[in-house]
């Protein structure tokens, strides 16, 4: 059945697509900058003369800042609106990319990645909030998946174009030149983006200081759907994030004996698979809400199975067909993580959407940060044994699945109660 429009539901339409597209373009550029280290990891190790643990610190710090900013960003979006938060984010991540281009030392490069992570943290939550303000609620699953699709397109640009620039014009020119994209989206944002359609202004919130912050966070966290969304995001996103952000290229080159060109093609396959699977998952979830959890858990199971097969394959290297299948399955991790927002969204009213999305979005990045650190430490401790290092993936997956199974019934019951209550209110609305 086609979902009925809710009272006050935004109309969508071409203008909504145009405005939301500007927000998505900001996220697209942020992901290019975020994943730029994934194709430059070995070059960064040579440039700054660091080992695996120190190299992983780049991405760990960036994700630490990103994850730590999610709840504050959610509160800011709920409080200030999308345009102001996105503007600040663009300024920060562009400055971070420029700083990374000209960093003369490991310390200044770390500071630049932290600044980039801070700006990056302000993008995705803002784009999700922009979607809820411009499109009907029934479009939520597809809007989230399309936003993730834009992020993967940014990852694809980073994998294909930035890698070539890096080895064509050099470190400084490649990173500084890419920072120009930040200036372009900043101009578009300032000129054309609007927080909401005319006549859809949210209720003004009185300034309530720390009490408001505590209430927003506590109310969002009390909802089982918010916590379930966090753990779904935690469990599904990080295997692909770790692979694309830093350790995929070294694993394929050093452990599997592939050339950089072939390894780059496999990283591209992860991104392309993500884009295709994102469209499929978005359609399935929009039409069959009950498919959310089976899709998420199925993705986790397939990822664990393929990782295990690759790491324990007899012989020095896994066959190419297995690496291709692994990368194709890793591509499903990003779309599966978007399902987490489909648990948090219906569990919270509009005035808490930013905060709830921030809590949910912390999950995958905390898991990614933990795994990046664990892999770096284990590689140094074992002399480069990737089989042992990547075993950290299974530990975090087991933790996440346990939490998902614990929360799923409570979240489903609460969601049914909200649905019944909304139908009762609709029936009693005076005509």
């Amino acid at each position: 059945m086609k979902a009925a429009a809710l009272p006050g539901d935004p109309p969508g339409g071409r203008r909504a697509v145009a405005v939301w597209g500007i927000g998505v373009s900001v996220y697209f550029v942020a992901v290019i900058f975020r994943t730029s280290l994934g194709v430059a990891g070995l070059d960064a190790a040579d440039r700054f003369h660091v080992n695996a643990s120190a190299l992983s610190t780049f991405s760990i710090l960036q994700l630490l800042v990103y994850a730590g900013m999610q709840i504050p960003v959610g509160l800011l979006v709920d409080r200030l609106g999308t345009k102001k938060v996105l503007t600040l984010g663009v300024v920060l991540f562009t400055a971070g990319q420029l700083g990374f281009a000209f960093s003369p030392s490991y310390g200044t490069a770390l500071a630049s990645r932290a600044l980039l992570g801070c700006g990056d943290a302000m993008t995705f939550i803002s784009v999700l909030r922009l979607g809820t303000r411009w499109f009907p609620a029934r479009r939520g699953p597809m809007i989230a998946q399309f936003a993730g699709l834009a992020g993967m397109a940014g990852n694809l640009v980073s994998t294909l174009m930035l890698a070539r620039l890096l080895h064509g014009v050099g470190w400084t020119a490649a990173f500084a030149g890419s920072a120009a994209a930040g200036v372009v989206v900043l101009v578009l944002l300032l000129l054309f983006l609007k927080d909401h359609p005319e006549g859809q202004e949210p209720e003004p919130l009185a300034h309530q200081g720390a009490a408001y912050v505590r209430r927003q966070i506590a109310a969002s966290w009390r909802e089982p759907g918010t916590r379930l969304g966090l753990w779904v995001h935690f469990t599904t996103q990080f295997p692909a994030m770790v692979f694309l952000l830093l350790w995929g290229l070294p694993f394929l080159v050093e452990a599997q004996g592939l050339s950089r060109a072939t390894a780059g093609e496999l990283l591209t396959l992860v991104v392309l698979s993500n884009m295709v699977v994102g469209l499929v998952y978005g359609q399935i979830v929009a039409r069959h809400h009950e498919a959310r959890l089976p899709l998420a858990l199925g993705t986790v199971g397939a990822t664990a199975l393929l990782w295990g097969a690759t790491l324990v394959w007899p012989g020095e290297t896994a066959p190419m067909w297995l690496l291709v299948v692994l990368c194709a399955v890793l591509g499903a991790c990003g779309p599966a993580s978007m399902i987490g927002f489909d648990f948090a969204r219906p569990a919270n009213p509009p005035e808490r959407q930013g905060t709830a999305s921030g809590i949910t979005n912390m999950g995958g990045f905390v898991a990614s940060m933990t795994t990046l650190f664990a892999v770096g430490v284990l590689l140094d401790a074992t002399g480069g044994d990737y089989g042992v290092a990547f075993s950290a993936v299974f530990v975090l997956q087991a933790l996440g699945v346990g939490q998902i199974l614990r929360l799923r019934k409570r979240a489903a019951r609460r969601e049914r109660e909200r649905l019944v209550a909304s139908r009762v209110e609709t029936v009693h609305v005076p005509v």
Side-chain angles (χ1 to χ4, degrees), residues 127-382:
V127 170
L128 288 182
R129 176 57 176 260
L130 195 66
T132 63
R133 289 296 184 189
W134 280 90
F135 292 95
R138 66 181 181 274
R139 302 295 185 197
M142 282 303 299
I143 292 301
Q145 290 292 351
F146 273 117
L149 190 66
M152 282 298 102
N155 200 328
L156 186 62
V157 169
S158 177
T159 303
L160 295 178
M161 296 183 61
L162 191 59
R164 293 180 181 179
L165 280 174
L166 189 64
H167 298 108
V169 301
W171 178 283
T172 300
F175 280 99
S178 66
V183 178
V184 173
V185 294
L186 178 60
V187 172
L188 292 173
L189 169 63
L190 293 174
L191 291 178
F192 301 113
L193 190 135
K194 294 186 180 298
D195 285 343
H196 46 72
E198 288 78 5
Q200 297 283 337
E201 293 82 359
E203 290 289 330
L205 294 172
H207 179 69
Q208 294 171 308
Y212 164 78
V213 171
R214 287 194 299 269
R215 186 166 58 252
Q216 286 284 92
I217 295 174
S220 297
W221 184 254
R222 276 196 299 268
E223 292 292 342
T226 304
R227 300 198 301 277
L228 179 59
L230 179 147
W231 284 107
V232 167
H233 200 269
F234 177 100
T235 314
T236 53
Q237 187 204 47
F238 79 92
M241 177 70 72
V242 168
F243 197 80
L244 289 171
L245 200 59
L246 183 61
W247 290 121
L249 187 69
F251 168 73
L252 294 171
V253 172
E254 296 177 355
Q256 299 300 317
L258 302 180
S259 66
R260 283 199 181 201
T262 304
E265 290 172 359
L266 288 176
L267 292 179
T268 303
L269 174 61
V270 177
V271 178
L272 293 174
S273 172
N274 186 301
M275 297 171 78
V276 173
V277 174
L279 292 174
V280 174
Y281 278 18
Q283 290 284 354
I284 292 174
V285 173
R287 298 180 182 186
H288 307 283
H289 220 45
E290 68 281 359
R292 291 172 298 174
L293 208 54
L295 283 177
L297 291 177
T299 302
V300 173
T303 304
L305 178 65
L306 268 298
W307 256 126
T310 301
L311 296 177
V312 302
W313 190 269
E316 293 186 0
T317 61
M320 178 58 72
W321 68 263
L322 182 56
L323 295 176
V324 168
V325 175
L326 170 66
C327 290
V329 170
L330 285 175
C333 291
S337 72
M338 295 296 103
I339 296 173
F341 298 101
D342 292 317
F343 287 105
R345 188 184 304 109
N348 292 272
E351 62 270 17
R352 287 207 310 264
Q353 288 295 319
T355 306
S357 295
I359 292 172
T360 300
N361 207 31
M362 283 180 61
F365 290 94
V366 169
S368 298
M369 177 179 60
T370 304
T371 309
L372 283 167
F373 176 74
V375 169
V377 169
L378 289 171
L379 281 174
D380 285 340
T382 60

Side-chain angles (χ1 to χ4, degrees), residues 387-398:
V388 174
F390 276 116
S391 63
V393 170
F394 307 113
V395 177
L396 270 73
Q397 284 183 322

Side-chain angles (χ1 to χ4, degrees), residues 29 40 50 63 67 86 90 98 109 160-161 178-179 181 204 241 248 282 315 361 367 377 379 394 403 412 425 427:
V29 174
V50 294
L63 293 184
L86 274 181
V90 174
L98 271 174
L160 295 178
M161 296 183 61
S178 66
M241 177 70 72
N361 207 31
V377 169
L379 281 174
F394 307 113
Q403 293 298 317
E425 288 176 7
V427 168

